[in-house]
Amino acid sequence: MAKHANTPKGPSQRQLSVGEKVRHALTEALQRGDLRDPLLERAVVTVSEVRMSPDLKLATAYVTVLGQAELKPFVDALNGHAKYLRGRLSPALRQMKYMPEVRFREDDSFDNYARIDALLRSPDVMRDLEETEGRDDNEEER
């Protein structure tokens, strides 16, 4: 029986490396303006992360669109052009045995960061920090 059978494993070094290569290739394809979609032509799409499946046949790209609150129409448009974009990745990923299928998802990590930042700046947290600093100062005086 394996020692670490119940502990979840993170992505392998190969998955991380290939994910970064796919992210760069997707970013270049989107910057070139290869897509003939009126919605995507006027949008600034940012690919923040690409997660690869363990067999490297599926790439999940997390995207955000600058200046847009509603991402669903953009994600749907990108998923509609996924096969075309997959073909545009070929020159950059020619060393791979299989070209990964690309799926696009909304990236909500920026929302999470903003929410955490707002929590850290809330008056309750600031008060607690001030109380903690006050206690540390009293302990140093002793």
Side-chain angles (χ1 to χ4, degrees):
M1 188 166 160
K3 286 192 234 177
H4 305 289
N6 293 333
T7 58
K9 287 177 42 177
S12 69
Q13 192 64 38
R14 178 81 173 142
Q15 286 173 282
L16 294 173
S17 173
V18 171
E20 192 61 20
K21 288 178 183 175
V22 171
R23 187 183 72 80
H24 280 285
L26 278 173
T27 301
E28 287 177 14
L30 292 171
Q31 284 178 348
R32 282 192 304 260
D34 292 343
L35 297 177
R36 301 290 178 228
D37 188 310
L39 182 66
L40 295 173
E41 284 178 347
R42 60 182 172 85
V44 179
V45 180
T46 303
V47 182
S48 57
E49 180 183 6
V50 174
R51 294 184 187 163
M52 299 299 298
S53 64
D55 63 359
L56 304 178
K57 291 184 179 182
L58 178 64
T60 304
Y62 292 91
V63 297
T64 188
V65 181
L66 298 179
Q68 299 294 327
E70 183 59 36
L71 296 178
K72 184 162 177 36
F74 296 96
V75 172
D76 291 342
L78 286 167
N79 280 320
H81 295 288
K83 287 188 179 187
Y84 175 77
L85 285 169
R86 181 182 183 195
R88 303 305 295 172
L89 298 178
S90 298
L93 303 174
R94 62 181 166 264
Q95 75 277 9
M96 293 187 64
K97 187 174 183 177
Y98 299 102
M99 193 55 49
E101 178 186 336
V102 181
R103 294 181 184 168
F104 293 93
R105 302 283 184 258
E106 294 180 22
D107 183 13
D108 57 358
S109 62
F110 294 110
D111 296 336
N112 291 339
Y113 297 143
R115 191 180 43 137
I116 290 169
D117 187 52
L119 283 171
L120 290 174
R121 294 178 188 276
S122 72
D124 294 335
V125 172
M126 296 302 278
R127 183 189 67 234
D128 290 345
L129 287 174
E130 289 171 1
E131 288 176 8
T132 304
E133 288 174 1
R135 277 190 246 148
D136 289 343
D137 290 342
N138 288 340
E139 289 176 4
E140 287 177 7
E141 291 175 1
R142 291 182 194 179

